[in-house]
Amino acid sequence: MEALATRKGAAVPPRRDDELEARLEIELPRRLAIGAGNAVFVYGSCFHRRRRVSDVRILADGRSIEPMAHGMPRLDLYRRHHGAYRSAFWGIVPVAPDPERRVIQLGVAATLDDAGEVMADVGTLELHPAPWDDAAGSAPDA
């Protein structure tokens, strides 16, 4: 896990690109109790309609996370778009303890064959500082 790339000491996020197709293939939990820390597994796909994607990273709350795997085959997507064959990725997003309730944005950044870097948002996570008290009936809706 690392901070976003820096240029002259300031964080430089990848630019948004409408031709980047990024999505999660499994639903994120609506709420996540973080307690002493937690993690979320993400599985999705990412491809560009006109360029080849050479690298993929998961973006979470200002951090860049290297996926466990990327460039994995997706025959179902290839049948719709030939550039999408090696578009699957998966990884784990760690969530550090935090005393505040907040929402974080998840995204995917892709490095293209022209060395450009683009990104797309893929979801949000609502973080809660304490574990749910199931005995008191306060567990959130899934």
Side-chain angles (χ1 to χ4, degrees), residues 18-97:
D18 291 338
E19 295 193 88
L20 183 68
E21 298 280 340
R23 65 175 170 243
L24 296 181
E25 303 295 340
I26 57 175
E27 191 174 333
L28 293 171
R30 284 188 24 216
R31 299 177 186 157
L32 184 67
I34 53 177
N38 208 332
V40 175
F41 177 75
V42 294
Y43 161 59
S45 61
C46 177
F47 68 92
H48 195 272
R49 290 187 216 139
R50 292 184 304 113
R51 310 219 52 113
R52 189 179 66 78
V53 172
S54 61
D55 190 36
V56 171
R57 291 175 294 112
I58 301 165
L59 305 176
D61 201 26
R63 295 171 296 143
S64 174
I65 301 159
E66 193 70 32
M68 297 163 66
H70 72 87
M72 305 308 290
R74 285 290 306 267
L75 187 57
D76 59 325
L77 293 178
Y78 175 76
R79 289 181 175 137
R80 287 182 273 170
H81 189 283
H82 290 299
Y85 180 62
R86 293 204 166 268
S87 63
F89 68 89
W90 55 84
I92 295 175
V93 174
V95 180

Side-chain angles (χ1 to χ4, degrees), residues 103-134:
V103 175
I104 64 170
Q105 183 70 44
L106 295 181
V108 176
T111 303
L112 304 177
D113 57 2
D114 66 354
E117 195 169 46
V118 296
M119 64 88 60
D121 293 328
V122 293
T124 58
L125 277 174
E126 183 180 326
L127 305 180
H128 293 259
W132 306 121
D133 182 3
D134 291 333

